[in-house]
Protein backbone atom coordinates (compact mmCIF):
# COMPACT_ATOMS: atom_id res chain seq x y z
CA UNK A 1 0.00 0.00 0.00
CA UNK A 2 1.31 3.41 -0.92
CA UNK A 3 0.51 5.70 2.00
CA UNK A 4 1.87 8.80 0.32
CA UNK A 5 -0.47 9.00 -2.66
CA UNK A 6 -4.21 8.64 -3.10
CA UNK A 7 -5.73 5.55 -4.65
CA UNK A 8 -5.95 5.71 -8.42
CA UNK A 9 -9.07 3.54 -8.58
CA UNK A 10 -12.61 4.90 -8.75
CA UNK A 11 -14.90 3.98 -5.86
CA UNK A 12 -18.15 4.83 -4.11
CA UNK A 13 -18.55 4.34 -0.35
CA UNK A 14 -21.69 4.33 1.78
CA UNK A 15 -22.26 3.72 5.49
CA UNK A 16 -24.75 1.32 7.09
CA UNK A 17 -25.10 3.17 10.45
CA UNK A 18 -25.88 -0.27 11.90
CA UNK A 19 -26.52 -0.16 15.64
CA UNK A 20 -24.57 -3.38 16.36
CA UNK A 21 -21.52 -2.65 14.19
CA UNK A 22 -21.36 0.28 11.81
CA UNK A 23 -19.85 -0.59 8.42
CA UNK A 24 -18.50 1.15 5.34
CA UNK A 25 -19.72 -0.46 2.12
CA UNK A 26 -17.36 -0.16 -0.86
CA UNK A 27 -18.34 -0.28 -4.53
CA UNK A 28 -15.93 -0.34 -7.46
CA UNK A 29 -16.91 2.28 -10.06
CA UNK A 30 -16.19 1.44 -13.71
CA UNK A 31 -15.47 3.88 -16.53
CA UNK A 32 -19.19 4.08 -17.34
CA UNK A 33 -20.04 4.99 -13.76
CA UNK A 34 -21.64 1.65 -12.93
CA UNK A 35 -21.12 0.16 -9.47
CA UNK A 36 -20.07 -3.34 -8.35
CA UNK A 37 -20.03 -4.35 -4.67
CA UNK A 38 -16.53 -4.93 -3.26
CA UNK A 39 -16.98 -5.49 0.47
CA UNK A 40 -18.19 -4.36 3.89
CA UNK A 41 -15.65 -2.91 6.34
CA UNK A 42 -16.43 -2.45 10.06
CA UNK A 43 -15.77 0.95 11.64
CA UNK A 44 -15.30 -0.63 15.11
CA UNK A 45 -18.07 1.68 16.30
CA UNK A 46 -21.84 1.62 16.48
CA UNK A 47 -24.42 3.55 14.51
CA UNK A 48 -27.96 4.30 15.57
CA UNK A 49 -29.84 2.03 13.15
CA UNK A 50 -33.26 3.53 12.58
CA UNK A 51 -33.12 5.51 15.82
CA UNK A 52 -33.05 9.25 15.22
CA UNK A 53 -30.39 11.37 16.90
CA UNK A 54 -33.05 14.01 17.50
CA UNK A 55 -36.77 14.29 18.11
CA UNK A 56 -36.88 17.22 15.66
CA UNK A 57 -37.58 15.00 12.64
CA UNK A 58 -40.11 12.18 12.09
CA UNK A 59 -39.02 8.78 13.35
CA UNK A 60 -39.62 7.06 10.00
CA UNK A 61 -36.37 5.10 9.79
CA UNK A 62 -35.01 7.33 7.01
CA UNK A 63 -32.25 9.89 7.62
CA UNK A 64 -31.58 8.92 11.26
CA UNK A 65 -28.58 11.27 11.60
CA UNK A 66 -30.27 14.24 9.86
CA UNK A 67 -26.94 15.32 8.40
CA UNK A 68 -24.74 15.75 5.36
CA UNK A 69 -21.14 14.56 5.74
CA UNK A 70 -21.59 11.45 7.92
CA UNK A 71 -19.00 9.80 5.65
CA UNK A 72 -16.30 12.07 4.20
CA UNK A 73 -13.22 11.66 2.02
CA UNK A 74 -10.21 13.91 2.44
CA UNK A 75 -9.74 16.25 -0.50
CA UNK A 76 -6.76 14.22 -1.76
CA UNK A 77 -8.70 10.95 -1.52
CA UNK A 78 -6.24 9.33 0.92
CA UNK A 79 -8.47 9.13 3.99
CA UNK A 80 -12.09 8.27 4.72
CA UNK A 81 -13.78 9.46 7.92
CA UNK A 82 -16.96 7.95 9.38
CA UNK A 83 -19.12 8.93 12.34
CA UNK A 84 -20.35 6.36 14.85
CA UNK A 85 -23.32 8.13 16.42
CA UNK A 86 -24.28 5.15 18.59
CA UNK A 87 -20.87 4.91 20.30
CA UNK A 88 -19.95 8.64 20.18
CA UNK A 89 -16.78 8.11 18.14
CA UNK A 90 -15.25 8.72 14.72
CA UNK A 91 -13.31 6.22 12.62
CA UNK A 92 -10.51 6.94 10.15
CA UNK A 93 -9.60 4.71 7.22
CA UNK A 94 -6.72 4.94 4.79
CA UNK A 95 -7.68 4.16 1.19
CA UNK A 96 -5.49 1.37 -0.19
CA UNK A 97 -4.26 1.25 -3.79
CA UNK A 98 -7.13 -1.13 -4.55
CA UNK A 99 -9.68 1.33 -3.13
CA UNK A 100 -10.43 -0.85 -0.11
CA UNK A 101 -10.72 1.22 3.10
CA UNK A 102 -8.32 0.03 5.83
CA UNK A 103 -9.31 1.00 9.39
CA UNK A 104 -6.57 2.96 11.16
CA UNK A 105 -8.06 4.64 14.22
CA UNK A 106 -11.21 5.15 16.30
CA UNK A 107 -11.43 8.10 18.71
CA UNK A 108 -14.15 9.57 20.97
CA UNK A 109 -15.85 12.38 19.08
CA UNK A 110 -15.58 14.92 21.90
CA UNK A 111 -19.33 14.94 22.44
CA UNK A 112 -22.45 12.85 22.02
CA UNK A 113 -23.96 11.50 18.81
CA UNK A 114 -21.55 12.70 16.09
CA UNK A 115 -23.35 13.09 12.77
CA UNK A 116 -21.05 15.04 10.40
CA UNK A 117 -17.30 15.27 9.80
CA UNK A 118 -15.07 17.27 7.46
CA UNK A 119 -11.34 17.43 6.81
CA UNK A 120 -9.02 20.13 5.45
CA UNK A 121 -5.30 19.41 5.29
CA UNK A 122 -4.47 17.72 8.58
CA UNK A 123 -7.40 19.30 10.46
CA UNK A 124 -10.64 17.41 11.07
CA UNK A 125 -13.80 18.73 12.69
CA UNK A 126 -16.76 16.67 13.83
CA UNK A 127 -20.23 17.93 14.77
CA UNK A 128 -21.96 16.34 17.76
CA UNK A 129 -25.74 16.55 18.10
CA UNK A 130 -25.55 16.12 21.89
CA UNK A 131 -27.89 14.20 24.14
CA UNK A 132 -30.20 16.50 26.03
CA UNK A 133 -31.47 13.88 28.48
CA UNK A 134 -27.90 13.27 29.65
CA UNK A 135 -27.02 16.98 29.57
CA UNK A 136 -24.67 16.71 26.58
CA UNK A 137 -24.77 19.91 24.50
CA UNK A 138 -24.47 20.28 20.74
CA UNK A 139 -20.85 21.06 19.87
CA UNK A 140 -17.96 20.70 17.44
CA UNK A 141 -14.55 19.18 18.15
CA UNK A 142 -11.26 19.29 16.25
CA UNK A 143 -8.61 16.65 15.55
CA UNK A 144 -5.35 16.37 13.68
CA UNK A 145 -4.87 13.48 11.25
CA UNK A 146 -1.31 12.29 10.60
CA UNK A 147 0.07 10.81 7.38
CA UNK A 148 -0.97 7.31 8.50
CA UNK A 149 -4.55 8.31 9.34
CA UNK A 150 -4.17 8.43 13.13
CA UNK A 151 -6.29 10.99 14.97
CA UNK A 152 -5.25 13.27 17.83
CA UNK A 153 -7.71 15.62 19.58
CA UNK A 154 -6.77 19.31 19.32
CA UNK A 155 -6.58 20.82 22.81
CA UNK A 156 -9.04 23.67 23.27
CA UNK A 157 -10.88 22.99 20.00
CA UNK A 158 -14.29 22.09 21.41
CA UNK A 159 -16.87 24.81 20.75
CA UNK A 160 -20.54 25.10 21.59
CA UNK A 161 -23.05 26.11 18.95
CA UNK A 162 -25.54 28.99 19.19
CA UNK A 163 -27.70 27.19 21.79
CA UNK A 164 -27.42 24.08 23.99
CA UNK A 165 -29.50 21.99 21.58
CA UNK A 166 -28.74 23.72 18.25
CA UNK A 167 -28.76 20.43 16.39
CA UNK A 168 -25.91 20.51 13.83
CA UNK A 169 -26.66 19.04 10.41
CA UNK A 170 -23.30 19.62 8.70
CA UNK A 171 -19.81 20.81 9.57
CA UNK A 172 -17.96 22.11 6.51
CA UNK A 173 -14.65 23.87 5.86
CA UNK A 174 -14.53 26.72 3.37
CA UNK A 175 -12.54 25.99 0.21
CA UNK A 176 -9.43 27.66 1.65
CA UNK A 177 -9.83 26.15 5.12
CA UNK A 178 -9.91 29.55 6.82
CA UNK A 179 -13.43 29.12 8.19
CA UNK A 180 -15.78 26.41 9.34
CA UNK A 181 -19.55 26.45 8.76
CA UNK A 182 -22.14 24.57 10.82
CA UNK A 183 -25.75 24.37 9.69
CA UNK A 184 -28.04 24.33 12.75
CA UNK A 185 -31.17 22.42 11.86
CA UNK A 186 -33.35 23.24 14.87
CA UNK A 187 -32.40 26.91 15.42
CA UNK A 188 -32.49 27.90 11.71
CA UNK A 189 -29.02 29.39 12.07
CA UNK A 190 -25.73 29.14 10.19
CA UNK A 191 -22.74 29.41 12.52
CA UNK A 192 -19.35 30.39 11.11
CA UNK A 193 -16.08 29.83 12.98
CA UNK A 194 -12.67 31.29 12.12
CA UNK A 195 -10.01 28.57 12.02
CA UNK A 196 -6.78 29.44 13.85
CA UNK A 197 -3.31 28.28 12.75
CA UNK A 198 -3.16 25.76 15.61
CA UNK A 199 -6.45 24.18 14.53
CA UNK A 200 -8.65 25.71 17.21
CA UNK A 201 -11.59 27.88 16.16
CA UNK A 202 -13.14 31.15 17.29
CA UNK A 203 -16.48 31.57 19.00
CA UNK A 204 -19.29 31.25 16.43
CA UNK A 205 -20.40 34.12 14.22
CA UNK A 206 -24.12 33.37 14.17
CA UNK A 207 -26.17 34.07 11.02
CA UNK A 208 -29.88 33.48 10.51
CA UNK A 209 -30.77 30.99 7.80
CA UNK A 210 -33.05 32.50 5.18
CA UNK A 211 -35.35 29.48 5.31
CA UNK A 212 -36.28 26.81 7.84
CA UNK A 213 -34.44 23.57 8.52
CA UNK A 214 -30.98 24.30 7.05
CA UNK A 215 -29.35 20.92 6.48
CA UNK A 216 -26.90 20.37 3.61
CA UNK A 217 -24.29 22.93 2.56
CA UNK A 218 -21.77 23.31 -0.25
CA UNK A 219 -19.16 25.98 -1.00
CA UNK A 220 -18.48 26.93 -4.62
CA UNK A 221 -14.90 27.77 -5.61
CA UNK A 222 -16.00 31.43 -5.72
CA UNK A 223 -16.89 31.26 -2.02
CA UNK A 224 -20.64 31.32 -2.67
CA UNK A 225 -22.49 29.07 -0.22
CA UNK A 226 -25.47 26.84 -1.07
CA UNK A 227 -27.72 25.62 1.77
CA UNK A 228 -30.70 23.26 1.54
CA UNK A 229 -33.77 23.88 3.68
CA UNK A 230 -35.61 20.70 4.61
CA UNK A 231 -38.56 22.48 6.19
CA UNK A 232 -38.86 25.24 3.56
CA UNK A 233 -38.40 22.63 0.78
CA UNK A 234 -35.97 24.99 -0.92
CA UNK A 235 -32.37 25.99 -1.70
CA UNK A 236 -30.72 29.29 -0.77
CA UNK A 237 -27.43 30.88 -1.85
CA UNK A 238 -25.24 33.28 0.12
CA UNK A 239 -22.05 35.28 -0.16
CA UNK A 240 -19.79 35.47 2.89
CA UNK A 241 -17.63 38.37 4.07
CA UNK A 242 -14.22 37.89 5.63
CA UNK A 243 -15.85 38.56 8.99
CA UNK A 244 -18.09 35.48 8.60
CA UNK A 245 -21.30 37.41 7.93
CA UNK A 246 -23.55 35.84 5.29
CA UNK A 247 -25.57 37.83 2.74
CA UNK A 248 -28.48 36.26 0.87
CA UNK A 249 -28.25 36.05 -2.93
CA UNK A 250 -31.24 33.79 -3.69
CA UNK A 251 -33.52 33.12 -0.73
CA UNK A 252 -35.47 29.85 -0.41
CA UNK A 253 -35.96 28.93 -4.06
CA UNK A 254 -38.55 26.10 -3.95
CA UNK A 255 -38.61 23.15 -6.34
CA UNK A 256 -42.14 21.90 -5.64
CA UNK A 257 -41.10 18.78 -3.72
CA UNK A 258 -40.68 17.85 -0.04
CA UNK A 259 -37.61 17.98 2.20
CA UNK A 260 -34.74 19.45 0.19
CA UNK A 261 -31.91 17.95 2.24
CA UNK A 262 -28.61 17.27 0.42
CA UNK A 263 -26.68 19.32 -2.11
CA UNK A 264 -23.71 19.00 -4.43
CA UNK A 265 -22.76 20.70 -7.70
CA UNK A 266 -21.45 19.63 -11.08
CA UNK A 267 -17.68 19.97 -11.41
CA UNK A 268 -18.09 23.14 -13.49
CA UNK A 269 -20.45 24.53 -10.80
CA UNK A 270 -23.12 25.48 -13.34
CA UNK A 271 -25.70 23.19 -11.74
CA UNK A 272 -26.58 21.91 -8.28
CA UNK A 273 -28.32 18.63 -7.46
CA UNK A 274 -30.71 18.57 -4.50
CA UNK A 275 -32.33 15.43 -3.07
CA UNK A 276 -35.97 15.87 -2.05
CA UNK A 277 -36.00 12.90 0.27
CA UNK A 278 -39.66 12.36 1.13
CA UNK A 279 -40.70 13.00 -2.47
CA UNK A 280 -38.21 10.50 -3.85
CA UNK A 281 -36.85 13.01 -6.37
CA UNK A 282 -33.68 14.86 -7.31
CA UNK A 283 -33.94 18.46 -8.52
CA UNK A 284 -31.42 20.23 -10.74
CA UNK A 285 -30.86 23.93 -10.04
CA UNK A 286 -29.09 26.28 -12.41
CA UNK A 287 -26.42 28.44 -10.75
CA UNK A 288 -25.76 31.81 -12.41
CA UNK A 289 -22.19 33.20 -12.14
CA UNK A 290 -23.36 35.64 -9.44
CA UNK A 291 -24.90 32.78 -7.42
CA UNK A 292 -28.55 33.30 -8.33
CA UNK A 293 -30.54 30.06 -8.43
CA UNK A 294 -33.33 28.75 -10.66
CA UNK A 295 -34.91 25.30 -10.99
CA UNK A 296 -34.01 23.42 -14.17
CA UNK A 297 -35.63 19.99 -13.79
CA UNK A 298 -36.37 16.86 -11.75
CA UNK A 299 -36.06 13.07 -11.86
CA UNK A 300 -37.11 10.25 -9.54
CA UNK A 301 -34.28 8.47 -7.73
CA UNK A 302 -35.52 5.00 -8.75
CA UNK A 303 -37.38 3.92 -11.91
CA UNK A 304 -41.12 4.45 -12.15
CA UNK A 305 -42.96 1.24 -11.37
CA UNK A 306 -40.32 0.00 -8.91
CA UNK A 307 -40.17 0.47 -5.14
CA UNK A 308 -39.62 4.22 -4.66
CA UNK A 309 -36.17 5.12 -3.32
CA UNK A 310 -35.92 8.05 -0.94
CA UNK A 311 -32.68 9.83 -1.95
CA UNK A 312 -30.38 11.29 0.72
CA UNK A 313 -26.62 11.71 0.60
CA UNK A 314 -25.03 12.74 -2.72
CA UNK A 315 -21.77 12.60 -4.65
CA UNK A 316 -20.32 13.47 -8.08
CA UNK A 317 -17.49 11.56 -9.76
CA UNK A 318 -14.11 13.24 -10.06
CA UNK A 319 -14.42 13.29 -13.87
CA UNK A 320 -17.75 15.13 -13.49
CA UNK A 321 -19.70 12.62 -15.57
CA UNK A 322 -21.79 10.83 -12.94
CA UNK A 323 -24.01 11.64 -9.97
CA UNK A 324 -24.74 9.25 -7.09
CA UNK A 325 -27.32 9.26 -4.32
CA UNK A 326 -28.00 6.95 -1.37
CA UNK A 327 -31.61 5.74 -1.04
CA UNK A 328 -32.13 5.74 2.71
CA UNK A 329 -35.15 3.45 2.72
CA UNK A 330 -33.38 0.76 0.71
CA UNK A 331 -29.66 0.97 1.41
CA UNK A 332 -29.13 1.25 -2.36
CA UNK A 333 -27.20 3.75 -4.50
CA UNK A 334 -28.77 5.28 -7.62
CA UNK A 335 -26.37 6.08 -10.46
CA UNK A 336 -26.98 8.83 -13.04
CA UNK A 337 -25.16 10.22 -16.07
CA UNK A 338 -24.90 14.02 -15.97
CA UNK A 339 -25.94 15.71 -19.22
CA UNK A 340 -24.59 19.01 -20.56
CA UNK A 341 -27.78 20.84 -19.58
CA UNK A 342 -27.60 19.56 -15.99
CA UNK A 343 -30.30 16.94 -16.46
CA UNK A 344 -29.77 13.40 -15.21
CA UNK A 345 -30.17 10.03 -16.94
CA UNK A 346 -30.60 7.10 -14.56
CA UNK A 347 -28.23 4.19 -15.23
CA UNK A 348 -28.43 1.84 -12.25
CA UNK A 349 -29.74 1.24 -8.74
CA UNK A 350 -26.89 -0.64 -7.04
CA UNK A 351 -27.41 -2.85 -4.00
CA UNK A 352 -24.89 -4.65 -1.78
CA UNK A 353 -27.50 -6.83 -0.04
CA UNK A 354 -30.71 -8.35 -1.34
CA UNK A 355 -32.70 -7.16 1.69
CA UNK A 356 -33.92 -3.55 1.71
CA UNK A 357 -33.20 -1.92 5.06
CA UNK A 358 -33.55 1.39 6.85
CA UNK A 359 -30.93 3.42 8.70
CA UNK A 360 -28.04 3.87 6.28
CA UNK A 361 -26.45 7.32 6.02
CA UNK A 362 -23.42 8.82 4.32
CA UNK A 363 -22.00 8.65 0.79
CA UNK A 364 -18.54 9.46 -0.56
CA UNK A 365 -17.30 9.25 -4.16
CA UNK A 366 -13.65 8.68 -5.04
Amino acid sequence: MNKNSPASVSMVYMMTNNEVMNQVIAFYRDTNGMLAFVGAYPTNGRGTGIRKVSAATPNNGVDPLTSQGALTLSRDGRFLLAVNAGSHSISSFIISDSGVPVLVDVQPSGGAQPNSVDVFGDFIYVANVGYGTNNFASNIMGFRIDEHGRLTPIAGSSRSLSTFDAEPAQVLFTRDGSKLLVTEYTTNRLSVFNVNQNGTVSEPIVNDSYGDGPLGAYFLSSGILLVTEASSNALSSYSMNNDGILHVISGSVPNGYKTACWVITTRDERFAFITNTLSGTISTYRIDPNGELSVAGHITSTPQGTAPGLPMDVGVSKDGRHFYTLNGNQGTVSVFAIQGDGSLVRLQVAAWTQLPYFGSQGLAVL
Side-chain angles (χ1 to χ4, degrees):
M1 184 192 308
N2 181 356
K3 290 187 172 128
N4 295 313
S5 63
S8 58
V9 293
S10 298
M11 306 289 293
V12 171
Y13 307 98
M14 58 168 280
M15 194 174 78
T16 65
N17 188 43
N18 186 280
E19 69 270 29
V20 176
M21 174 60 76
N22 192 11
Q23 293 173 304
V24 171
I25 305 301
F27 294 91
Y28 171 69
R29 186 168 65 81
D30 72 16
T31 54
N32 297 315
M34 306 286 273
L35 302 183
F37 171 64
V38 174
Y41 305 93
T43 66
N44 282 11
R46 297 190 309 276
T48 64
I50 62 172
R51 180 182 67 79
K52 294 272 186 173
V53 294
S54 164
T57 55
N59 190 25
N60 57 7
V62 179
D63 186 20
L65 304 184
T66 316
S67 69
Q68 181 164 315
L71 188 67
T72 302
L73 278 161
S74 59
R75 284 159 169 77
D76 61 6
R78 293 174 59 201
F79 304 113
L80 183 70
L81 287 305
V83 299
N84 303 302
S87 52
H88 318 301
S89 64
I90 57 172
S91 300
S92 66
F93 295 81
I94 197 161
I95 302 300
S96 68
D97 288 342
S98 66
V100 165
V102 178
L103 183 66
V104 175
D105 202 1
V106 184
Q107 291 289 332
S109 65
Q113 301 194 122
N115 69 340
S116 180
V117 60
D118 198 22
V119 54
F120 183 87
D122 59 355
F123 293 154
I124 286 173
Y125 264 83
V126 60
N128 294 289
V129 173
Y131 213 62
T133 52
N134 291 341
N135 216 35
F136 280 100
S138 300
N139 76 333
I140 58 172
M141 176 75 183
F143 298 81
R144 283 186 183 273
I145 186 167
D146 71 13
E147 61 179 2
H148 304 293
R150 292 185 294 254
L151 303 173
T152 305
I154 297 173
S157 65
S158 178
R159 279 283 182 265
S160 299
L161 301 180
S162 72
T163 65
F164 177 87
D165 57 354
E167 182 183 324
Q170 184 167 15
V171 59
L172 183 67
F173 282 98
T174 55
R175 287 292 187 100
D176 64 1
S178 66
K179 291 181 174 62
L180 198 65
L181 171 85
V182 178
T183 56
E184 297 184 4
Y185 185 78
T186 51
T187 64
N188 299 324
R189 290 170 178 162
L190 304 169
S191 285
V192 177
F193 301 80
N194 289 309
V195 180
N196 301 317
Q197 285 190 327
N198 65 358
T200 61
V201 295
S202 67
E203 292 294 325
I205 300 127
V206 180
N207 299 269
D208 289 329
S209 169
Y210 187 89
D212 294 339
L215 198 156
Y218 189 88
F219 281 108
L220 305 183
S221 54
S222 63
I224 288 170
L225 171 66
L226 306 180
V227 180
T228 62
E229 296 157 0
S231 301
S232 295
N233 307 312
L235 180 68
S236 289
S237 58
Y238 303 83
S239 61
M240 184 166 62
N241 291 350
N242 288 334
D243 57 7
I245 301 296
L246 297 173
H247 299 275
V248 177
I249 301 171
S250 285
S252 294
V253 179
N255 58 48
Y257 292 98
K258 295 179 183 174
T259 55
C261 291
W262 284 264
V263 56
I264 198 166
T265 72
T266 53
R267 290 295 180 205
D268 63 10
E269 300 182 351
R270 292 173 56 226
F271 301 98
F273 302 119
I274 313 301
T275 51
N276 308 300
T277 304
L278 293 183
S279 293
T281 60
I282 299 122
S283 291
T284 298
Y285 281 75
R286 188 175 293 102
I287 309 169
D288 288 348
N290 62 1
E292 290 187 13
L293 305 172
S294 57
V295 178
H298 317 276
I299 191 172
T300 57
S301 186
T302 49
Q304 301 282 0
T306 67
L310 303 184
M312 296 178 18
D313 301 79
V314 292
V316 168
S317 60
K318 53 195 171 188
D319 63 9
R321 295 170 54 215
H322 298 98
F323 167 79
Y324 299 86
T325 184
L326 169 69
N327 296 301
N329 63 326
Q330 298 177 351
T332 60
V333 178
S334 292
V335 181
F336 298 84
I338 301 171
Q339 306 301 295
D341 62 356
S343 62
L344 297 171
V345 175
R346 193 185 313 98
L347 301 178
Q348 181 190 21
V349 179
W352 68 278
T353 173
Q354 296 305 308
L355 300 173
Y357 67 96
F358 286 77
S360 57
Q361 189 122 30
L363 187 78
V365 179
L366 177 65

